[in-house]
Amino acid sequence: MRKPSRANHSRKRKPTGRQARAGQRTLRSEKVGALPVINHFLERLRLEELLQEHLPPEDKRVKVPAAKALLALLRNLLIWREPLYGMGQWAAGYAPDLLGLTIDELEALSDDGVGRALGCLFSSEQGAFVVAVVQHTIRQFKVTLRQLHNDSTTITFHGNYSEAAEEDTRSGRRALAITWGHNKDHRPDLKQLVYILTLSDDGGVPVHFRAASGNTTDDQTHVDTWKLLCELV
């Protein structure tokens, strides 16, 4: 006995950009903005290639590869700063190829996917990735390192963060403590992380940056920073 054949219902794609209708005509507009300029520099920095080299292997069923999701997040931070929960809606307004995504990947982009990609970045060899990016940047843009400027600041957090009160090891990586310390925003009532940044005198290019637990004092950071800068130079 033959089984009744099923009708082949193809999934209807969500339209990208915005649509306006008048009578029988439809106008669809997609944002371009600063993305062509940003993409030019992302390509010169080889960020997608370097991410792919340093991120851990992924499940083949993943709809948006971690490297692509992270670069979509980076573009968002540079031009809009949409919260993670709004990433999908934000991205839907742009031409997919300008975000480095296919239409299927654009439709699948969500806060869960970006969160998973950030988890992959946390589990990766972050130090090796940062050094590779900086070394390539120095060569690509011919940045001189004759003089460097180093300083630290505090990143202030609003909330409890009880699970991050002490340094811990998660997924084999050291997790920092979001806690009280000398707050440079003059908010001793709020918890923090310490952010340490070194710039080249030539063009103000970031050449070394890292975070430390919120109760870390500056004198604890200088030796490690010095050793890594010597390696870079």
Side-chain angles (χ1 to χ4, degrees):
M1 181 177 178
R2 291 184 62 185
K3 293 182 180 180
S5 61
R6 292 183 178 179
N8 184 18
H9 297 292
S10 59
R11 181 171 60 88
K12 187 176 181 181
R13 293 188 181 278
K14 296 178 182 177
T16 58
R18 292 185 176 183
Q19 294 195 53
R21 291 186 176 87
Q24 300 297 318
R25 298 180 182 276
T26 300
L27 174 67
R28 190 181 79 215
S29 60
E30 295 174 332
K31 294 181 183 178
V32 174
L35 286 178
V37 177
I38 291 172
N39 290 341
H40 168 75
F41 286 101
L42 293 183
E43 290 171 8
R44 288 189 66 181
L45 290 170
R46 292 177 51 218
L47 276 186
E48 184 169 357
E49 181 182 339
L50 292 172
L51 279 169
Q52 290 171 348
E53 289 177 7
H54 291 87
L55 291 176
E58 295 184 88
D59 191 315
K60 299 296 183 182
R61 295 170 294 180
V62 168
K63 294 181 178 180
V64 185
K68 288 191 171 187
L70 289 170
L71 287 177
L73 176 61
L74 176 59
R75 292 177 175 97
N76 171 264
L77 290 171
L78 289 171
I79 62 178
W80 198 261
R81 293 183 177 235
E82 184 75 23
L84 284 189
Y85 62 77
M87 277 292 296
Q89 183 177 358
W90 168 80
Y94 287 86
D97 58 309
L98 291 178
L99 294 173
L101 304 171
T102 65
I103 293 179
D104 287 335
E105 290 168 342
L106 182 72
E107 290 184 359
L109 189 67
S110 66
D111 54 345
D112 288 338
V114 178
R116 182 193 56 79
L118 287 169
C120 288
L121 182 62
F122 176 79
S123 301
S124 69
E125 292 289 347
Q126 297 173 39
F129 167 67
V130 170
V131 170
V133 172
V134 171
Q135 287 177 332
H136 174 71
T137 302
I138 291 168
R139 296 189 188 103
Q140 176 68 217
F141 294 94
K142 298 180 173 58
V143 180
T144 62
L145 302 178
R146 295 189 186 95
Q147 190 175 120
L148 302 171
H149 302 275
N150 171 266
D151 198 5
S152 68
T153 188
T154 49
I155 308 299
T156 303
F157 288 77
H158 296 260
N160 191 8
Y161 295 94
S162 57
E163 294 183 2
E166 297 180 356
E167 289 190 5
D168 195 3
T169 301
R170 301 183 185 183
S171 302
R173 302 292 175 199
R174 176 168 161 261
L176 303 177
I178 301 176
T179 187
W180 292 280
H182 177 65
N183 189 283
K184 299 185 180 183
D185 293 326
H186 308 292
R187 290 298 305 268
D189 57 314
L190 297 177
K191 296 181 180 181
Q192 64 184 32
L193 288 175
V194 176
Y195 184 70
I196 305 147
L197 177 65
T198 303
L199 304 175
S200 67
D201 183 64
D202 178 16
V205 178
V207 297
H208 174 53
F209 46 92
R210 64 188 177 94
S213 293
N215 55 1
T216 304
T217 57
D218 284 348
D219 60 352
Q220 298 179 49
T221 68
H222 295 321
V223 173
D224 289 340
T225 299
W226 174 259
K227 288 179 179 177
L228 194 140
L229 291 175
C230 288
E231 179 184 340
L232 282 173
V233 172

